[in-house]
Amino acid sequence: MDYISTRGGRPVSAAQAIVSGLAPDGGLYVPQSLPSFSLDEIASLAKLGYTGRAVEVLSRFLTDFTRGELTEYVGRAYAKSKFLPEAVAPVVPLGGDGAYILELFHGPTCAFKDFALQLLPLLLTASLKKTGVDKTVVILVATSGDTGKAALEGFAGVPGTKICVFYPDGGTSSIQRRQMTTQAGDNVMVFAAKGNFDDAQNGVKRIFTDAAFAKALSEHGYLLSSANSINWGRLVPQIVYYFSAYCELLNAGRIKAGDAIDVAVPTGNFGNILAAWFAKHSGLPIRRLICASNRNNVLTDFIKTGTYDRNRDFFLTTSPSMDILISSNLERLLYLLCGRDDGRVRGYMQSLAKTGSYTVEQDVLARLQAEFSAGCADDAQTAQTIRDIWEKTGYLCDTHTAVAVHVCEQARGGDKTPIVIASTASPFKFAASVLPAAFGVAPQGDDFAQLNTLSKASGLSAPDALAGLQGRKERFLTVVAPADMKQAVAGWLSLF
Ligand SMILES: *Cc1c(COP(=O)(O)O)cnc(C)c1O
């Protein structure tokens, strides 16, 4: 299976797409065709464990990797020592009316990004070999909080790689910052960037498209790549857990093979929900995809009206990993919905770059609305949802998940179609918001005091990955302006 840029050009192999991250024309790689899983095949996936399911699904997308390779990588990425030994991605009922939480936060950094970022370093280093690239790959990451740590954890100590993360200064939760600044390893670097996530992401994109810089890097034996969800190697592992969730519902007797489900996803860069779309178009019986946003509701407006307009205020919310106004992965969906018409996609993206907005044609809007619903929740609604769920069901969810639950309740009305809600982070990652929401307790003391208080109030234990940060020195304290990001990378790599 080959991959093609959303802005045109020649097809490349999966390995090449993974090595490049972004296509040379600035587009994103998408598969040229999609696999098609029959209901019988899905039923047989249900008999496998998570790693078995992952090998089956990945081998249909990454056809230039052998099953032996994929089996090895998946076994290492989702090892019992890294995720919950009982289940990598458990599905738990929320109340009794057909809503289910897909818990994606049991990996090493307590957010769903681990599913992709535990696997990506293995896929990437293999892809370098397959494409005959003999360079040290430099991963640049812009993060709204969770990608950064997950990428650091995935790439730390991986031979032949170096990784540099930019997070928005003051734009993450305190524990998220601490997770990154305490990262161990010789091949890692972390900077705070002034501004918000979009500024950091734009800064990284500028570095990627800087030909002179690429040349300087190349002369020093380096090659840039991305661990953001613009990289196909980030997206493809996420398709697996939607198949897995369906299998879990089959195995629990909640649905029969072929029954349709809905999926609700708290959305920022549009990667996670797009993975659900790929699962759907590879044969998984998904009916609707519900895109949930916080107060930065540019996607809600887009899905409702067909106009994407980033000319609006940016808000810091209690769900910081979704504080984004430019959802990069939407470009992939647009390409697929407009009949793979790269000319149209180039038009949208030029308009976005020039005016900050674009409007899709009626046919694209109709296809979008046939599959997607959208809604948003502000911080007050998010907090209320956390409290309601806790009081009614005894389930404690994080702020991002609560956004999705709120939107899902609104979108569903009395509908009883089973719905899988992606739970993207552990509530302990956002204790300062979850404590007052669920328990009316003002957060006091440092991060670790808050973890303790949340643990006592909920009766749940704080994940070791977070509690274990106590006493670890914050190694990286430098703050840079977006305009100086390139210089910061150059300095770190001793280029000039
Ligand atoms: C990254 C993230 C999101 C947004 O996911 P996208 O794939 O960027 O849409 C939502 N919730 C949490 C906790 C995240 O870390």
Side-chain angles (χ1 to χ4, degrees):
M1 177 184 289
D2 279 341
Y3 289 79
I4 186 121
S5 162
T6 50
R7 301 192 192 173
R10 282 191 306 119
V12 301
S13 66
Q16 281 171 303
I18 291 170
V19 168
S20 312
L22 202 63
D25 56 15
L28 278 66
Y29 286 113
V30 291
Q32 276 202 305
S33 60
L34 293 180
S36 167
F37 283 84
S38 68
L39 290 180
D40 281 348
E41 285 172 323
I42 294 171
S44 39
L45 290 181
K47 302 198 184 82
L48 307 173
Y50 191 87
T51 52
R53 293 170 191 163
V55 171
E56 295 306 320
V57 174
L58 293 172
S59 64
R60 303 285 281 272
F61 284 95
L62 305 177
T63 49
D64 46 347
F65 289 76
T66 65
R67 290 181 74 83
E69 287 173 314
L70 292 174
T71 305
E72 185 204 327
Y73 304 155
V74 157
R76 281 164 62 188
Y78 306 121
K80 288 193 191 313
S81 57
K82 292 182 169 174
F83 284 77
L84 276 189
E86 314 82 84
V88 174
V91 174
V92 298
L94 184 68
D97 65 349
Y100 301 92
I101 297 272
L102 169 60
E103 293 188 343
L104 299 174
F105 53 79
H106 295 296
T109 76
C110 309
F112 82 94
K113 306 288 199 302
D114 288 326
F115 281 83
L117 284 160
Q118 284 298 310
L119 193 58
L120 182 66
L122 304 170
L123 293 177
L124 182 63
T125 41
S127 297
L128 289 169
K129 286 211 188 84
K130 282 182 196 296
T131 52
V133 176
D134 187 20
K135 290 211 154 66
T136 297
V137 61
V138 177
I139 304 289
L140 292 188
V141 181
T143 181
S144 58
D146 290 326
T147 299
K149 175 59 181 180
L152 289 165
E153 193 67 29
F155 280 97
V158 174
T161 72
K162 285 176 168 277
I163 175 164
C164 177
V165 170
F166 293 93
Y167 69 88
D169 192 24
T172 70
S173 84
S174 164
I175 200 106
Q176 283 179 311
R177 187 207 70 243
R178 200 183 282 274
Q179 280 185 297
M180 293 184 273
T181 55
T182 57
Q183 177 67 46
D186 296 335
N187 63 333
V188 305
M189 177 51 82
V190 179
F191 292 107
K194 291 210 182 76
N196 60 36
F197 169 72
D198 292 314
D199 299 321
Q201 177 161 261
N202 282 334
V204 166
K205 279 189 188 159
R206 272 200 305 279
I207 300 177
F208 269 106
T209 48
D210 186 326
F213 194 60
K215 189 158 167 277
L217 282 167
S218 181
E219 284 163 10
H220 285 78
Y222 293 122
L223 174 79
L224 279 187
S225 191
S226 165
N228 279 103
S229 54
I230 53 175
N231 192 322
W232 178 252
R234 257 293 297 277
L235 212 71
V236 70
Q238 299 180 185
I239 300 171
V240 175
Y241 51 67
Y242 292 105
F243 276 92
S244 180
Y246 195 87
C247 292
E248 295 294 318
L249 292 177
L250 280 177
N251 288 347
R254 308 272 184 183
I255 55 170
K256 299 186 302 300
D259 285 354
I261 61 166
D262 290 343
V263 168
V265 184
T267 296
N269 225 354
F270 210 76
N272 201 359
I273 194 166
L274 189 66
W277 186 95
F278 277 113
K280 172 176 173 172
H281 288 266
S282 304
L284 194 67
I286 294 177
R287 189 185 62 164
R288 292 197 76 74
L289 299 153
I290 298 174
C291 173
S293 302
N294 63 26
R295 200 174 165 204
N296 296 298
N297 57 0
V298 60
L299 286 168
T300 316
D301 291 346
F302 173 64
I303 291 169
K304 293 199 165 155
T305 67
T307 294
Y308 193 97
D309 189 357
R310 63 154 306 198
N311 300 307
R312 57 178 73 213
D313 290 337
F314 176 92
F315 301 104
L316 291 175
T317 72
T318 54
S319 45
S321 303
M322 294 151 64
D323 290 346
I324 295 177
L325 291 180
I326 301 183
S327 296
S328 305
N329 271 292
L330 193 56
E331 180 170 342
R332 286 191 163 106
L333 182 68
L334 294 172
Y335 177 78
L336 295 159
L337 290 184
C338 73
R340 297 177 176 263
D341 181 346
D342 51 74
R344 278 212 238 179
V345 173
R346 281 195 303 272
Y348 303 147
M349 293 305 132
Q350 274 159 13
S351 173
L352 182 67
K354 245 195 233 134
T355 67
S357 92
Y358 59 85
T359 301
V360 297
E361 300 79 4
Q362 272 306 322
D363 61 322
V364 177
L365 181 60
R367 265 174 247 141
L368 178 72
Q369 292 178 339
E371 300 190 277
F372 287 86
S373 305
C376 53
D378 64 21
D379 282 355
Q381 290 166 323
T382 304
Q384 187 63 45
T385 304
I386 292 174
R387 177 161 213 127
D388 287 348
I389 304 176
W390 172 253
E391 286 181 348
K392 284 193 201 126
T393 70
Y395 189 82
L396 189 69
C397 74
D398 99 293
T399 45
H400 303 75
T401 310
V403 167
V405 172
H406 175 87
V407 171
C408 164
E409 281 168 355
Q410 291 194 322
R412 268 182 115 206
D415 190 359
K416 292 279 182 283
T417 305
I419 184 160
V420 169
I421 302 166
S423 178
T424 48
S426 158
F428 286 92
K429 250 186 144 163
F430 303 95
S433 302
V434 172
L435 266 175
F439 306 104
V441 175
Q444 274 171 1
D446 66 5
D447 292 337
F448 306 101
Q450 292 170 18
L451 289 184
N452 252 324
T453 317
L454 186 56
S455 178
K456 287 215 184 82
S458 64
L460 302 166
S461 38
D464 292 342
L466 302 178
L469 296 173
Q470 188 157 21
R472 294 261 297 271
K473 185 168 180 299
E474 297 201 53
R475 296 171 66 195
F476 304 105
L477 301 168
T478 308
V479 185
V480 298
D484 301 332
M485 285 168 59
K486 183 169 89 179
Q487 206 48 49
V489 174
W492 166 56
L493 296 174
S494 317
L495 293 192
F496 318 123

